Amino acid sequence: QVQLVESGGGLVQAGGSLRLSCAASGIIFGISAMAWYRQAPGKQRELVAHISSGGLINYADSLKGRFAISRDNAKNTVYLQMNSLKPDDSAVYYCNAHQNLRSFWGQGTQVTVSS
């Protein structure tokens, strides 16, 4: 059974930082592409950052320079470091794993940025 468990969300003031973690089980983490998505109320889910099994990284253009994705294959964990947070970054953040044409989602973690 595949499980993706996000943690690290919460309430932070504008300009602050948060680090999200996603612990994966039930997949071969080392060959899985991992990503973070977010969904704000009334909006579509959007890609935040993606990291391939080989470590290639892509970010949403609007988030480059503020967010950083990384992975620790020894811990089966992917991270999202978020800096200089803005109220517009408030959303539920979801972890995604992609392996062998199959996609898996975590339950999401809420990030709220106050102005």
Side-chain angles (χ1 to χ4, degrees):
Q1 180 181 1
V2 177
Q3 282 193 314
L4 301 175
V5 180
E6 301 102 332
S7 60
L11 175 64
V12 64
Q13 288 189 331
S17 298
L18 283 175
R19 188 194 195 204
L20 306 183
S21 299
C22 171
S25 60
I27 59 172
I28 305 173
F29 187 82
I31 63 170
S32 299
M34 302 298 297
W36 288 96
Y37 287 75
R38 69 183 184 183
Q39 188 167 19
K43 295 187 177 181
Q44 288 189 330
R45 190 171 297 189
E46 62 176 357
L47 176 68
V48 173
H50 176 276
I51 183 167
S52 73
S53 59
L56 295 176
I57 292 173
N58 287 294
Y59 296 103
D61 287 342
S62 62
L63 301 176
K64 287 180 181 177
R66 294 196 298 122
F67 287 19
I69 190 171
S70 61
R71 64 188 295 159
D72 185 338
N73 289 346
K75 296 182 178 180
N76 285 5
T77 300
V78 63
Y79 304 98
L80 183 69
Q81 178 67 44
M82 306 185 293
N83 299 322
S84 302
L85 284 163
K86 305 175 182 179
D88 284 349
D89 294 320
S90 297
V92 178
Y93 284 70
Y94 296 92
C95 178
N96 172 266
H98 193 85
Q99 179 186 322
N100 294 336
L101 303 180
R102 299 171 67 192
S103 189
F104 306 96
W105 294 91
Q107 82 288 350
T109 185
Q110 177 71 48
V111 171
T112 303
V113 184
S114 63
S115 57

